[in-house]
Structure formats: C-alpha cells, structure tokens
Amino acid sequence: MISRRCVVLTLAAGVFGFPLAPLAQAQPAPGVHRIGFLAARSRSTPLNPDLYYDAFVEGMRELGYVEGTNLVIEWRFADAKFERLPSLAMELVQLKPEVIVTHGAPPVFALQKVTSTIPVVTAAVADPVASGFAASLSRPGGNITGLSVLLADLSAKKLELIRLMIPTLSRVAIIIGGNNAAHQLILKNTEVAAQRYGMKLLHAAPTSLEEVERDFGVLARERAEAVIIAANPRFVSDAFRRQFVTLAIKHRRPTIFDYRDDVVAGGLMSYGQNLPDSYRRAASYVDRIFRGAKPGELPFEQPTRIHLAINRKTAKALGLAVPQELLLRADEVIE
C-alpha cells in the first residue's frame, strides 16, 4: 500500500470553538460506568472482526475505560436485521445506562422514539440536521450528538473520479439502500452531477443480500458501465462487502465506494473518510458525558480527512488501466 496525501476539510467542532482533546490525554472519572451499544451489525469476533466496533472499544481503552474493570458495555446486536432495532433500543433504555452509543440513521431513529433523556452518541451518521437528530451541528439541542459522515457532499466527486477511470462513461448506476433524507440528498446530488456530465443515471435500493444480487444483475443488463455503492448501515458489513466485490467482478463492472475497507476487500475505488477513526473518536464524546457534559451542547464533529483509495489488482481483473492522473491523486494504491 502506498500512502500519498490527505484532503483536509472542515472540522465542525473546531469551527464552533469546541476543543477536542487527543484521546490519550484524558483521564477517566472514578467508579464503574455503564453504557449501552445499539449495534446494527453482528458481534466482533477473532474470526470475524468488526473494525468499527473494535475501534470504539480501543478508543475507550485509550481513555482509561476497560470492560470488566471500570466499564460495562451492554451490547445489543441487530445482526443486520433492522426490524429488530426498535425492541433492542427499548431493552437498552430500560437498563438506564449513562450513555447509549450507536451508528447510522436506523438505530438513531429507533432510539429517538424511545428516549429523549438518555444521552445518545452516534459514531457515524449522515446529515444529522436533515435527519432530524440535531437542531444544528454546532448545538444539537437534544440528547443526540457524536460524529457525522460526509456522503451527499462527496457524491459529485465520486462520479468525477469514476469518470476519470472510464473517460467514455455514459451510463452509471448508484446502489443506495435507504429512503431517508440523507439518502435522498445523495441521490439528488448524484443526479445533478450525472446531468452535468451528460450521463444516464440508473439506481436501485436493495435491502438484502438477495436483492443486491438481483439488482446488480438488472443494472448490468441495463448497460450501466460503472456502479456507485452509496454508504448505508446495512452495507458496512463483511457479508454485503463480499457480495458487492464478487458481483462487480462477475459482471465486470467498476465500482466506487465510500470507505477504504471496501477497496481493501477488493472493490475498485473509494472516496471517503476513515470510518474506524470516527468510531474511535466517539469514545471522547462518551468520556465528556461521563464528566458532566450535556449532549445537546456538544457539537457534531465532521471529518477532517477524505481518503482516495484504488485497488490496482482489481483494476487489472476488470481489464482497466488506472490513469496516471488518478494514481497521482490517490492517497493509497493497493497492489
């Protein structure tokens, strides 16, 4: 892997005057703390690790909070069955933890319906204001805060990058597995960018592995020359990741994702933030709440770095030569 450069964006918390101290500098409050974690995916295991959940636990440990010593984490796993989220959210609320940690819009919606008092920290959620989770990024105002992800703002850029890979691109597809405000904005921005480039945009919204396989095949038959995989809580799992990578090779369709983990797994390209780092940073919000901070006064943090990764091995498998311009712009090239 070759690391090159990072694109620096705006750190919302810094702009709004809220200091985010390095994780390792903090000292934990005395006593045993109890938090809940509403997880959309499955438990992390040595044989099937979840990089994101593990990063959160590491972040807590770096702050001095260790499970079994001075920290109890009540985990509730939906195992990608989103219909289970409401009951799991209620279970956690009934336990009355100090904080509930989660990620993605569906779990946050589930928690929003059952508590307005227990602090909720989200490790990653798209557009918390448009989704109704916060009054503003600088002052959320309710019981929900944490870290946001840049998705809609990067839509046009992802289309530009896949166009650089395939200069003759005229028909492109986007797979987007949701219908909330953030996902609608992603679709709208992609449509606008496609019109600007004179491209035909196709789209699908699968919610299961079976639907992903069906929709990918349909898009290929409709002559989509490349596929944008829009981030979705359902898709950030090994099962969906393997499915997308396998189908892209099977149908010989270049793909661009939001996160580098998909490129490490065999996807062609990604353009987005370091998601494990967001989960790690979520621990700093939990620590501040332990110390008495009110979630409504803790600004939502936005990412500071956007990462372009390219898998050259996958490009070769697809019969593509990566243009020199893309290689020079990439932060990471996987050989």
Side-chain angles (χ1 to χ4, degrees), residues 76-204:
R76 293 296 183 276
F77 298 96
D79 297 321
K81 298 174 182 176
F82 281 32
E83 66 276 10
R84 298 181 57 198
L85 289 171
S87 61
L88 295 176
M90 180 60 75
E91 280 185 29
L92 285 176
V93 168
Q94 291 173 343
L95 294 175
K96 298 180 179 180
E98 295 172 71
V99 185
I100 298 177
V101 181
T102 191
H103 58 97
V108 179
F109 278 125
L111 288 166
Q112 192 178 41
K113 291 179 180 179
V114 292
T115 183
S116 60
T117 56
I118 297 175
V120 173
V121 171
T122 173
V125 70
D127 206 335
V129 176
S131 298
F133 303 144
S136 69
L137 291 176
S138 59
R139 197 174 181 86
N143 66 318
I144 302 170
T145 187
L147 296 98
S148 65
V149 294
L150 287 177
L151 297 177
D153 292 344
L154 303 181
S155 301
K157 190 69 175 180
K158 286 195 293 182
L159 192 56
E160 174 193 329
L161 292 168
I162 199 71
R163 183 169 173 261
L164 285 174
M165 181 70 76
I166 311 171
T168 59
L169 188 64
S170 62
R171 295 172 71 87
V172 64
I174 181 169
I175 291 181
I176 185 163
N179 194 35
N180 59 37
H183 291 130
Q184 288 305 304
L185 186 56
I186 292 169
L187 183 58
K188 179 181 177 182
N189 288 358
T190 306
E191 286 175 339
V192 170
Q195 289 173 2
R196 185 166 65 248
Y197 291 127
M199 296 180 189
K200 170 71 174 178
L201 181 68
L202 310 171
H203 78 275

Side-chain angles (χ1 to χ4, degrees), residues 42-296:
S42 301
R43 183 183 299 275
S44 181
T45 66
L47 292 178
N48 189 26
D50 187 296
L51 298 177
Y52 309 125
Y53 298 160
D54 290 349
F56 172 74
V57 174
E58 288 172 9
M60 293 300 295
R61 189 179 299 118
E62 289 169 2
L63 286 165
Y65 300 99
V66 180
E67 280 190 273
T69 302
N70 60 350
L71 178 67
V72 174
I73 303 180
E74 297 286 355
W75 294 92
R76 293 296 183 276
F77 298 96
D79 297 321
K81 298 174 182 176
F82 281 32
E83 66 276 10
R84 298 181 57 198
L85 289 171
S87 61
L88 295 176
M90 180 60 75
E91 280 185 29
L92 285 176
V93 168
Q94 291 173 343
L95 294 175
K96 298 180 179 180
E98 295 172 71
V99 185
I100 298 177
V101 181
T102 191
H103 58 97
V108 179
F109 278 125
L111 288 166
Q112 192 178 41
K113 291 179 180 179
V114 292
T115 183
S116 60
T117 56
I118 297 175
V120 173
V121 171
T122 173
V125 70
D127 206 335
V129 176
S131 298
F133 303 144
S136 69
L137 291 176
S138 59
R139 197 174 181 86
N143 66 318
I144 302 170
T145 187
L147 296 98
S148 65
V149 294
L150 287 177
L151 297 177
D153 292 344
L154 303 181
S155 301
K157 190 69 175 180
K158 286 195 293 182
L159 192 56
E160 174 193 329
L161 292 168
I162 199 71
R163 183 169 173 261
L164 285 174
M165 181 70 76
I166 311 171
T168 59
L169 188 64
S170 62
R171 295 172 71 87
V172 64
I174 181 169
I175 291 181
I176 185 163
N179 194 35
N180 59 37
H183 291 130
Q184 288 305 304
L185 186 56
I186 292 169
L187 183 58
K188 179 181 177 182
N189 288 358
T190 306
E191 286 175 339
V192 170
Q195 289 173 2
R196 185 166 65 248
Y197 291 127
M199 296 180 189
K200 170 71 174 178
L201 181 68
L202 310 171
H203 78 275
T207 59
S208 68
L209 292 172
E210 293 75 20
E211 289 180 4
V212 166
E213 182 167 11
R214 179 201 66 195
D215 290 347
F216 213 107
V218 170
L219 293 172
R221 288 193 294 275
E222 291 182 355
R223 295 180 290 112
E225 300 161 277
V227 182
I228 300 167
I229 311 295
N232 180 281
R234 296 179 189 272
F235 298 165
V236 187
S237 70
D238 283 341
F240 275 96
R241 185 175 291 124
R242 286 193 298 268
Q243 182 83 316
F244 284 126
V245 169
T246 300
L247 291 171
I249 297 297
K250 175 183 176 181
H251 294 284
R252 298 186 65 79
R253 291 301 189 271
T255 52
I256 184 166
F257 296 81
D258 286 278
Y259 306 123
R260 71 175 291 275
D261 310 299
D262 298 297
V263 177
V264 172
L268 177 62
M269 302 171 65
S270 68
Y271 187 69
Q273 69 206 70
N274 183 328
L275 206 55
D277 188 59
S278 295
Y279 279 74
R280 186 176 291 105
R281 288 206 60 80
S284 68
Y285 278 79
V286 175
D287 176 57
R288 291 183 183 90
I289 292 170
F290 283 168
R291 297 169 183 276
K294 296 179 179 178

Side-chain angles (χ1 to χ4, degrees), residues 285-331:
Y285 278 79
V286 175
D287 176 57
R288 291 183 183 90
I289 292 170
F290 283 168
R291 297 169 183 276
K294 296 179 179 178
E297 297 175 357
L298 298 180
F300 264 92
E301 180 181 337
Q302 289 186 296
T304 58
R305 298 177 186 274
I306 300 301
H307 190 88
L308 171 60
I310 299 172
N311 191 317
R312 188 178 256 178
K313 181 178 179 181
T314 299
K316 291 178 181 177
L318 294 171
L320 295 172
V322 182
Q324 188 65 19
E325 180 181 354
L326 271 177
L327 292 174
L328 292 173
R329 292 172 65 171
D331 301 290

